[in-house]
Amino acid sequence: MRERNVAEHLIWYEKLRRGDVAVVGGKNASLGEMISTLGAKGIRVPQGFATTADAYRCFIEANGLEQVIAERVKALEEGRTTLHEAGTAVRTAIIAGEWPKETAEAIRAAYRELATRSGRTEPSVAVRSSATAEDLPDASFAGQQETFLNVAGEAALLDACRRCYASLFTDRAIAYRWIQGYGQTEIALSVGVQLMVRSDIGSSGVMFSIDTETGCDRFVLINGAWGLGENVVQGAVDPDEFQVFKPFLDDAGRLPIVAKTLGAKKIKMIYGGRSEAATRNVPTALVERERFTLSDEEVVELARYAKTIEAHYGVAMDMEWAKDGETGELFIVQARPETVQSRKAGAVFQSFDVTPAGNLLVEGLSVGNAAATGRVCLIRSADEIDRFVDGSVLVTSTTDPDWVPIMKRAAAIVTDHGGRTSHAAIVSRELGLPAVVGTGDATRLLHDGQDVTVSCAQGETGAVFDGLGQVDVSDISLEDVPETRTGVMLNVANPSAAVRWWRLPADGVGLARMEFLVSNEIKVHPLALLNPEKVTDADERHAIDRLIRGYPDGRSYFTQRLAIGLARIAAVWHPKPVIVRLSDFKSNEYADLLGGRHFEPREENPMIGLRGASRYYSAFYRDAFALECAALKALRDDMGFTNVIVMVPFCRSPEETDKVLEVMAENGLRRGENGLQVYVMTEIPSNVIRAGEFAERFDGFSIGSNDLTQLTLGVDRDSEALAEVFRERDPAVLWMIETAILRARESGRKIGLCGQAPSNDPEFAKLLVKAGIDTISVTPDSFLDVKRNVALAEKEMEAAHERAPNQSATPPTD
């Protein structure tokens, strides 16, 4: 054996930099970089040291293992042995190896020094593997080697380090290197030894400085659970989830949390006892399941860490965090480059349109923004992996790195447990597969051989449908999008789906429907939240109680969830305007909400009944409307989304306007304060006939072509029998629209249109442009077509203006 300098086999983190990947691997180099350079910026990273790649090579050479490894790898490549047999043989040989004396003493001495630094006799440490080819921008190698937690004592530390070496040849690591095209003997392994954060009595999780599903770089995604973080990484627990808007993080007075979901968190990993393994999983207490793992202030603090780390590295980052249950301090315990969204081209993205063949079977968190069909292959444990059928939909409770070889061959993945940062989610993104994680009961409701459609194309909720549905894929290119004077905005209802379209060069959001959030995010009638004692149905009361877990009361639940949902939409297009329409449910639709039937009147014709503006000042609904106002005030004043414009729907008269504006002002939404603009929907003929009076009270108009057509022609827009009569291009409707545009321009008010007609009818969009409309708001999937139609209409108008002077300057000849 060649003489080696043992001092080079162990380096303290504070002496490492990110350029030392070849020496200590990506994980350890990154930890050293953060300790050395980011501590002064407030980033806490636990102390520790790393063995070097040379120490690994020294161990291999000292035990004569080069030949064992080479022979087993060659046999595997030639098909003379199986992956499992080769991996087992190499791992067994490494674990049986003896430490070179000098290397072992260096590790013991460093551990004693770590004890001195921490003030503990035998400090608990995390022992992590760090391969010299991991955490690269084009391959994460995440989870391929082992981590050992709560290791205490010199003998246990040396044993854990040796097992880390062996984990370089786990079956999953060998398979992953094949997938990524790396040679099996090209990579060495460093071991990181890091003081444990007492997250076993606190919380921990994973964090990304980018939206993992869409690549939107304006958000930080945080997942968290009680106890040690391995359960979140492996997807063994359904974690809490938070999203934070990065551009507002520099303002210390803001809490820009734009998504917040309470996870089930049924288990947590804690330290084992003296006679047990180093760690063990135990059930969480009911109070823990019903409480968020982080306060809003802690969520924002972690997000600031992510923003700082990303700025330092210059790329989107994937991080692991831990909260010490003794001190309450937050730590970053790992950081690596994000490897999926960073590889995607920004100019072209795919849109999936799914037509299910059968009923909805299960729902969960959507991963991948894609869809696929296939036959279920239900695998309950890793022991059954060999029976997986290529091209099937993998359905299982949870996955870990051992599952990667079959995940690569799957059409889609469905799991009972896990969040967006779980192993199943990360690998699915890397492989480009749609996955629905955290369904809760997929393994119980789905069965082997069942044909299903897996859809992740509708936003953050993924769905599995019965049968082989139709999946249509279209490429959307953002190259050569024309510039237009007329603004083209988006109609958005679903906050989770809104982020899918963040790359579209839209001029903002022309219509964000509040009632979608109430029905899908809140689900409870606001009066039932304010007066729960009036909900006499026990099942409904129980359902409401479950929904408001984690919130002080029903009022807080409504206002916080509504504010956060709207913030998600406002954030995607900030600082461009986002027009939020106040709730416009009809009484029959309100009655369908949880608890709603206890409060709503029965109306013969809800379409023209108690809806829109008339509700807001009514004695019946006034207190509920105050909740909407509170959410909007928090959205604008506390979170900082002053780009939000409030729009009043179905306002029948200027006199009604005065009542609505008075109630809004009483609840903190006074027109003009903090730049607040208030628009009115132009959807009733009276809005056009008395447009001048409305203009005195509002800052702008938005034409709702569906209701305006319905009320101008006297046609029920939902009637199939009268579908041919319902025409936005009827001369009477066009007169209404053109007159509304004219009156708005005369009054110096902005006016747009947010109906479906421009999305369905290109010629209708051209008519609006020629009438002089300021903005057209359309569905995201029709944005590019409408944008091109608008550009064409503007060119035609310019050409007509150019011809007109020439014609008038040249008189006709006899």
Side-chain angles (χ1 to χ4, degrees):
M1 183 178 74
R2 296 190 306 273
E3 288 295 322
R4 298 181 186 272
N5 181 0
V6 176
E8 295 177 357
H9 291 187
L10 189 147
I11 306 175
W12 286 90
Y13 278 145
E14 62 262 27
K15 296 181 180 180
L16 290 169
R17 295 295 186 274
R18 63 175 130 172
D20 292 323
V21 174
V23 180
V24 293
K27 189 179 300 176
N28 284 331
S30 183
L31 287 169
E33 176 76 15
M34 288 190 293
I35 287 177
S36 304
T37 62
L38 295 180
K41 295 184 178 181
I43 307 297
R44 299 186 191 93
V45 179
Q47 295 185 63
F49 59 88
T51 65
T52 65
D54 263 357
Y56 167 80
R57 296 185 184 101
C58 181
F59 180 92
I60 296 298
E61 186 175 331
N63 288 281
L65 295 173
E66 303 100 320
Q67 186 174 355
V68 175
I69 296 170
E71 288 177 352
R72 293 297 179 174
V73 168
K74 184 178 180 181
L76 179 62
E77 291 172 346
E78 294 176 353
R80 293 184 285 108
T81 189
T82 66
L83 173 64
H84 179 68
E85 289 170 344
T88 299
V90 173
R91 293 193 300 275
T92 300
I94 292 175
I95 290 172
E98 295 290 335
W99 282 104
K101 180 179 179 181
E102 297 86 350
T103 307
E105 183 50 41
I107 294 173
R108 291 191 187 99
Y111 180 69
R112 290 193 290 270
E113 170 64 19
L114 197 58
T116 301
R117 292 186 182 190
S118 65
R120 302 169 191 170
T121 304
E122 281 195 342
S124 245
V125 293
V127 182
R128 305 181 190 276
S129 306
S130 180
T132 57
E134 72 178 354
D135 298 345
L136 301 178
D138 62 344
S140 70
F141 286 79
Q144 300 311 309
Q145 284 81 47
E146 297 289 353
T147 292
F148 301 93
L149 303 177
N150 189 27
V151 176
E154 294 176 12
L157 174 59
L158 287 170
D159 182 61
C161 290
R162 185 164 35 224
R163 290 181 180 278
C164 280
Y165 282 173
S167 74
L168 187 59
F169 292 92
T170 59
D171 298 355
R172 63 195 182 232
I174 296 170
Y176 190 83
R177 287 193 289 270
W178 262 342
I179 293 169
Q180 296 295 334
Y182 286 85
Q184 297 295 336
T185 58
E186 296 173 6
I187 299 172
L189 193 125
S190 164
V191 178
V193 179
Q194 188 178 32
L195 283 173
M196 286 286 294
V197 176
R198 290 303 307 269
S199 59
D200 61 304
I201 54 174
S203 59
S204 56
V206 178
M207 174 167 64
F208 284 82
S209 67
I210 193 172
D211 183 73
T212 54
E213 304 313 313
T214 66
C216 184
D217 58 3
R218 314 189 95 196
F219 299 104
V220 173
L221 172 69
I222 302 171
N223 277 185
W226 300 112
L228 303 173
E230 289 302 294
N231 283 337
V232 178
V233 174
Q234 299 299 342
V237 66
D238 302 323
D240 295 338
E241 181 169 299
F242 312 90
Q243 282 202 348
V244 185
F245 186 53
K246 276 196 290 190
F248 286 175
L249 285 171
D250 293 334
D251 188 337
R254 293 180 178 175
L255 292 173
I257 300 171
V258 298
K260 187 175 178 180
T261 304
L262 186 69
K265 308 183 298 291
K266 292 184 178 179
I267 58 171
K268 64 178 179 179
M269 185 178 288
I270 63 172
Y271 287 0
R274 289 184 176 274
S275 60
E276 300 174 316
T279 61
R280 62 191 177 100
N281 274 316
V282 297
T284 50
L286 183 60
V287 68
E288 291 176 313
R289 298 179 192 183
E290 296 181 349
R291 197 172 82 229
F292 285 104
T293 47
L294 294 167
S295 69
D296 288 353
E297 291 75 15
E298 289 168 337
V299 169
V300 172
E301 182 182 349
L302 274 179
R304 290 194 177 108
Y305 285 7
K307 186 175 181 180
T308 300
I309 293 169
E310 180 186 61
H312 179 77
Y313 282 84
V315 295
M317 297 295 288
D318 167 0
M319 295 147 282
E320 294 181 26
W321 62 270
K323 177 183 174 181
D324 194 301
E326 292 181 335
T327 67
E329 293 177 312
L330 295 169
F331 290 85
I332 299 298
V333 296
Q334 285 192 46
R336 60 179 73 88
E338 191 276 340
T339 60
V340 177
Q341 294 296 340
S342 58
R343 295 196 301 239
K344 292 185 178 180
V348 177
F349 62 100
Q350 289 186 317
S351 177
F352 290 76
D353 185 32
V354 179
T355 305
N359 295 327
L360 175 67
L361 300 175
V362 294
E363 287 184 319
L365 296 173
S366 124
V367 176
N369 287 328
T373 60
R375 187 157 289 176
V376 168
C377 189
L378 181 58
I379 305 289
R380 296 190 179 278
S381 72
D383 295 337
E384 302 177 345
I385 280 178
D386 290 343
R387 70 176 189 82
F388 182 76
V389 179
D390 288 4
S392 297
V393 173
L394 172 61
V395 177
T396 187
S397 177
T398 185
T399 69
D400 61 35
D402 288 328
W403 295 64
V404 171
I406 65 168
M407 295 172 76
K408 180 175 179 285
R409 292 147 40 203
I413 296 169
V414 181
T415 69
D416 287 341
H417 305 296
R420 272 179 242 282
T421 59
S422 65
H423 175 267
I426 290 173
V427 173
S428 296
R429 286 187 207 102
E430 195 161 317
L431 297 175
L433 298 175
V436 181
V437 301
T439 62
D441 52 6
T443 55
R444 184 173 64 85
L445 296 177
L446 305 178
H447 61 80
D448 252 342
Q450 183 176 13
D451 289 335
V452 295
T453 300
V454 179
S455 176
C456 298
Q458 280 76 45
E460 292 184 352
T461 300
V464 181
F465 298 95
D466 193 20
L468 302 178
Q470 180 70 31
V471 177
D472 296 314
V473 186
S474 57
D475 289 333
I476 299 177
S477 175
L478 300 182
E479 296 179 350
D480 302 322
V481 178
E483 294 287 336
T484 59
R485 293 188 306 276
T486 307
V488 181
M489 307 174 81
L490 300 179
N491 296 334
V492 176
N494 185 348
S496 63
V499 188
R500 291 181 55 205
W501 306 101
W502 72 276
R503 290 187 176 92
L504 290 180
D507 294 300
V509 174
L511 176 63
R513 301 178 180 91
M514 185 181 287
E515 59 269 14
F516 183 95
L517 276 85
V518 174
S519 61
N520 291 277
E521 298 289 326
I522 295 171
K523 302 179 182 179
V524 186
H525 196 290
L527 289 175
L529 293 168
L530 291 174
N531 306 282
E533 72 283 354
K534 294 183 180 179
V535 179
T536 56
D537 185 288
D539 290 338
E540 285 189 308
R541 282 288 295 272
H542 179 69
I544 293 171
D545 289 342
R546 284 189 60 80
L547 284 171
I548 66 174
R549 289 176 308 158
Y551 296 86
D553 51 37
R555 180 187 299 272
S556 300
Y557 169 77
F558 186 96
T559 55
Q560 288 184 33
R561 286 189 70 83
L562 182 57
I564 284 174
L566 292 172
R568 187 81 180 280
I569 298 173
V572 174
W573 285 280
H574 183 273
K576 295 176 181 177
V578 172
I579 302 173
V580 174
R581 187 177 72 187
L582 296 168
S583 62
D584 192 25
F585 279 127
K586 275 73 77 176
S587 54
N588 59 319
E589 294 169 333
Y590 262 121
D592 288 337
L593 295 172
L594 275 172
R597 62 189 178 87
H598 298 280
F599 300 94
E600 287 298 321
R602 293 183 62 85
E603 295 184 288
E604 292 298 324
N605 195 344
M607 186 70 78
I608 53 174
L610 186 63
R611 61 176 288 198
S614 59
R615 276 186 168 257
Y616 309 150
Y617 59 86
S618 68
F620 155 66
Y621 196 75
R622 191 179 184 120
D623 290 345
F625 180 63
L627 298 183
E628 294 184 29
C629 293
L632 287 165
K633 181 174 172 57
L635 175 68
R636 287 178 46 83
D637 297 350
D638 300 338
M639 294 185 183
F641 290 106
T642 54
N643 59 320
V644 167
I645 296 169
V646 176
M647 184 158 64
V648 179
F650 225 78
C651 191
R652 294 174 169 95
S653 69
E655 293 77 18
E656 189 168 56
T657 300
D658 294 336
K659 295 178 182 179
V660 171
L661 292 177
E662 181 180 352
V663 174
M664 288 175 61
E666 289 173 0
N667 287 284
L669 293 178
R670 188 177 299 277
R671 180 184 165 212
E673 283 188 2
N674 196 20
L676 175 62
Q677 296 184 57
V678 184
Y679 283 17
V680 62
M681 287 287 291
T682 302
E683 52 191 338
I684 306 170
S686 63
N687 299 141
V688 180
I689 296 167
R690 303 181 69 180
E693 295 174 84
F694 279 106
E696 295 173 359
R697 293 160 169 83
F698 289 106
D699 299 287
F701 297 85
S702 183
I703 300 169
S705 61
N706 291 339
D707 269 344
L708 187 58
T709 301
Q710 172 176 247
L711 295 173
T712 299
L713 299 180
V715 177
D716 181 354
R717 71 188 195 189
D718 295 330
S719 171
E720 294 181 10
L722 298 174
E724 292 185 4
V725 184
F726 187 90
R727 294 175 57 246
E728 285 97 338
R729 285 222 258 164
D730 184 277
V733 179
L734 291 179
W735 183 90
M736 285 285 184
I737 292 172
E738 290 167 352
T739 302
I741 295 171
L742 177 63
R743 296 289 179 262
R745 296 181 72 85
E746 288 174 348
S747 303
R749 298 297 189 225
K750 293 181 179 179
I751 186 165
L753 185 140
C754 59
Q756 186 64 24
S759 301
N760 297 336
D761 184 355
E763 291 303 314
F764 191 82
K766 294 180 182 180
L767 288 171
L768 294 173
V769 172
K770 291 176 181 177
I773 201 154
D774 293 308
T775 60
I776 299 172
S777 189
V778 299
T779 55
D781 57 350
S782 62
F783 171 84
L784 292 176
D785 288 338
V786 173
K787 188 79 169 173
R788 294 186 182 104
N789 290 330
V790 168
L792 181 59
E794 290 179 349
K795 286 182 180 179
E796 290 175 355
M797 288 178 63
E798 290 173 3
H801 285 311
E802 289 175 359
R803 287 195 301 270
N806 294 335
Q807 292 170 357
S808 60
T810 308
T813 57
D814 294 334

